Amino acid sequence: MATRPPEPDLSGRRILVCRPEPEASRLARRFRDVGAEVRVLPMIDRQPLPETPERRTLILSLDEFSHVIAVSPYAARLLLDAIDTWWPQIPVGIRWYGVGAGTAAVLAEHGLNPRLPPKGWTSEALLALPSLNHLDGEKVLLARGDTGRELIHKTLQARGARVTVLPLYRRLPAEHSPELLRATLKDFAPEAIVALSGETLNNLIALCANYGHNLYDRLLIVPADRVAEQARAAGFQNPCIPGSLADNDIVATVAAQLAGRDGGSGKAK
């Protein structure tokens, strides 16, 4: 029987989680489970968009789509709530996809069987799936926020798909009081920061500029090479991509990187 790897030890380490809620508090609990001191400071607020007649018509025509893609766990939850309102059971014959394991898990919890790339959790990895390579005239529903990357939309259109974007929520920069920012960034002085989207990173960069806090030498956990390059261009010295975006892998990566820096084995890559 395979033995479980030992739990990471982050006793006394100071971690700042900048994810939106509720994902931020869930990840913070996992960090606390292994001894870390954690502050949550979301960089993005999300607000569901009100239902419209156009959205209702689109949901009622769900059975006309061959493929349905949710770009985030939040998009997947809102989409499934809308479907539950108008469909007594989900139509059969649809291929479901989630960008990332967390999104796929939301779909799976609803009894669906989402397709996942064999490795990777980015939009690029999803687009490499064979079932999304040849889509001449096939209808694709893309559940997402009202803004965001256009990579999936444009790539699938270029492959011949008839893509319909379903905006379900809006993203706004989170607002925090100067007192909270000072207590979190200066007094708490995090050793590692978790920022799992390009938009989160942009808002963090703007916050540092506006309030004069220099976090550029801290360990920065980012989701993909694209965001790591964005971080380096902004001046962050230690961006690091975890093995996956699952909570356990993020925690294990932070523990290994901080231990490596302590041991003189080099900075995070």
Side-chain angles (χ1 to χ4, degrees):
M1 180 181 295
T3 58
R4 295 179 61 183
E7 282 273 272
D9 183 6
L10 283 167
S11 299
R13 294 295 202 173
R14 302 181 307 280
I15 313 299
L16 176 62
V17 177
C18 294
R19 303 190 74 180
E21 292 288 13
E23 292 89 348
S25 290
R26 187 193 68 216
L27 179 58
R29 285 194 296 271
R30 185 69 191 103
F31 273 114
R32 292 185 182 110
D33 286 344
V34 296
E37 299 178 26
V38 189
R39 298 290 185 273
V40 169
L41 191 73
M43 291 290 109
I44 296 172
D45 280 337
R46 298 178 299 200
Q47 297 178 352
L49 293 170
E51 185 183 66
T52 62
E54 292 78 15
R55 183 204 292 181
R56 184 163 61 249
T57 298
L58 195 55
I59 294 296
L60 288 170
S61 64
L62 183 67
D63 56 342
E64 299 176 8
F65 290 89
S66 300
H67 310 266
V68 176
I69 302 171
V71 304
S72 67
Y74 191 61
R77 285 192 292 269
L78 292 176
L79 174 62
L80 293 170
D81 287 346
I83 293 171
D84 283 345
T85 300
W86 298 105
W87 286 89
Q89 62 182 48
I90 295 178
V92 298
I94 298 173
R95 294 176 178 178
W96 295 85
Y97 307 83
V99 178
T103 308
V106 173
L107 298 173
E109 288 165 5
H110 212 77
L112 301 171
N113 187 25
R115 299 183 178 214
L116 275 173
K119 61 180 180 179
W121 52 88
T122 62
S123 298
E124 289 83 352
L126 185 81
L127 288 166
L129 284 171
S131 58
L132 291 175
N133 277 340
H134 303 287
L135 297 168
D136 292 343
E138 294 184 36
K139 295 185 70 174
V140 178
L141 184 64
L142 180 59
R144 48 172 259 187
D146 62 344
T147 60
R149 294 183 76 197
E150 294 293 337
L151 178 67
I152 294 176
H153 184 190
K154 291 182 176 180
T155 301
L156 295 183
Q157 277 190 330
R159 294 175 182 176
R162 297 157 60 194
V163 182
T164 300
V165 174
L166 176 59
L168 293 169
Y169 59 95
R170 64 170 57 92
R171 290 187 296 270
L172 303 167
E175 296 184 359
H176 302 291
S177 69
E179 293 77 16
L180 177 61
L181 292 173
R182 182 174 58 252
T184 303
L185 303 179
K186 184 177 180 181
D187 299 342
F188 180 63
E191 299 171 81
I193 304 167
V194 180
L196 296 184
S197 74
E199 187 174 1
T200 294
L201 177 61
N202 280 335
N203 292 345
L204 178 64
I205 292 167
L207 185 150
C208 290
N210 291 339
Y211 288 91
H213 296 294
N214 185 352
L215 304 174
Y216 294 105
D217 61 343
R218 315 303 162 86
L219 174 65
L220 180 71
I221 302 299
V222 296
D225 289 334
R226 171 182 60 87
V227 185
E229 288 303 315
Q230 179 183 336
R232 291 188 188 97
F236 283 92
Q237 301 166 25
N238 300 302
C240 177
I241 303 166
S244 84
L245 300 188
D247 291 351
N248 284 343
D249 284 339
I250 294 170
V251 170
T253 297
V254 170
Q257 291 291 336
L258 290 180
R261 295 175 82 181
D262 288 347
S265 59
K267 292 183 178 180
K269 296 180 180 180

